[in-house]
Amino acid sequence: MAVPVRVADVAPVPAEVVARYLALPDMTCAVADALDELGVGAVAADVLCAARPGARVCGPAVTLRYEVARHGSPVLADRDLYRLAPPGAVAVIDTGGSEYAVVGEISAGCARDAGVAGVLVDGAVRDFDALAAADALPVWSRARSPRKARGRLDAAELNGPVRLGGIAVLPGDLVVADDNGVAAVPADHVTTVLRRCETATDAV
C-alpha cells in the first residue's frame, strides 16, 4: 500500500546559508534566542539526544509520521523519505514516542547515501554503537531500543506535519540540532533568523 505524500518537493537551502548557521557558536541556543525575539518558530522542550556527542546538523526538514499498526501489512517508509529528500535535508521522523526502533545502522547508511545530512527521531533507534561512531551520520532520538518497529508501526504520511520533541515541524522548515537541543525555523524566516543570530554573535 502506498504511503500518502502531503508535499512532493521540499526546496533545498543554499549551502552558504547552512554553513553560516553551522558556524554559529552554540547554534541552537543562538537560534532559540532569535526565535524568541521574533516570536516565530519553536524550540523542543523535550530532550532528544545525539547518538554522537558533539554532532551538529542544519537543513530543511523532510518528514515521516508513523502510527501503531492496527491491520493489514504495516510498512516502514524511511527509504521512501530519503528518496524525497533534497541534498542536505534533515529527516524528521515522528513515531509518537514509540518504544520501537525505526532507525538503525542500515537505515542511517541509506540516509547518508541519499545525501541526507542527519536524522531526528521522536522515538527510538537501535544499533547505537554504530550510530555513535565517529564517521556515522548524525542521528538524534528520544530513546534507544533493540526492538524493531517492523510489523509494529505503520507509515501514515510522508512530508506532512509532525511532532518532534513536543514541537510542530513542517516539511521545508529549517531544523537545527546540536548538544543543546533542537529548534525549527519556519521556511520563510530562515534568512531573518540567521541575520539576527549573526548580529547577536557579533555584539557579544
Side-chain angles (χ1 to χ4, degrees):
M1 184 172 112
V3 180
V5 179
R6 178 78 67 93
V7 175
D9 296 305
V10 169
V13 173
E16 182 255 346
V17 171
V18 171
R20 285 166 61 189
Y21 267 96
L22 290 171
L24 295 169
D26 295 319
M27 176 177 60
T28 57
C29 293
V31 170
D33 289 348
L35 294 176
D36 283 346
E37 292 169 11
L38 294 167
V40 300
V43 180
D46 299 335
V47 176
L48 274 76
C49 295
R52 173 166 46 87
R56 291 157 64 89
V57 74
C58 171
V62 290
T63 65
L64 168 59
R65 180 173 56 85
Y66 281 108
E67 296 176 344
V68 175
R70 292 183 173 84
H71 54 76
S73 300
V75 298
L76 300 183
D78 50 323
R79 276 59 158 191
D80 298 306
L81 177 66
Y82 305 150
R83 282 192 287 270
L84 287 174
V90 176
V92 178
I93 301 176
D94 177 3
T95 74
S98 169
E99 64 185 290
Y100 303 117
V102 293
V103 170
E105 181 179 12
I106 295 174
S107 178
C110 291
R112 180 177 54 200
D113 292 345
V116 171
V119 180
L120 280 63
V121 181
D122 195 309
V125 298
R126 61 188 295 185
D127 305 327
F128 204 76
D129 286 350
L131 298 184
D135 59 348
L137 184 79
V139 174
W140 281 255
S141 69
R142 183 187 290 274
R144 63 184 83 172
S145 171
R147 305 184 72 191
K148 64 184 179 182
R150 189 169 301 281
R152 295 176 168 125
L153 295 180
D154 198 7
E157 187 176 52
L158 289 157
N159 273 353
V162 295
R163 302 289 296 179
L164 178 72
I167 65 173
V169 178
L170 298 176
D173 284 354
L174 187 78
V175 176
V176 298
D178 57 20
D179 286 338
N180 289 302
V182 177
V185 180
D188 56 352
H189 286 81
V190 169
T191 301
T192 303
V193 169
L194 177 58
R195 287 174 180 161
R196 183 66 62 96
C197 290
E198 290 177 331
T199 301
T201 299
D202 291 343
V204 173

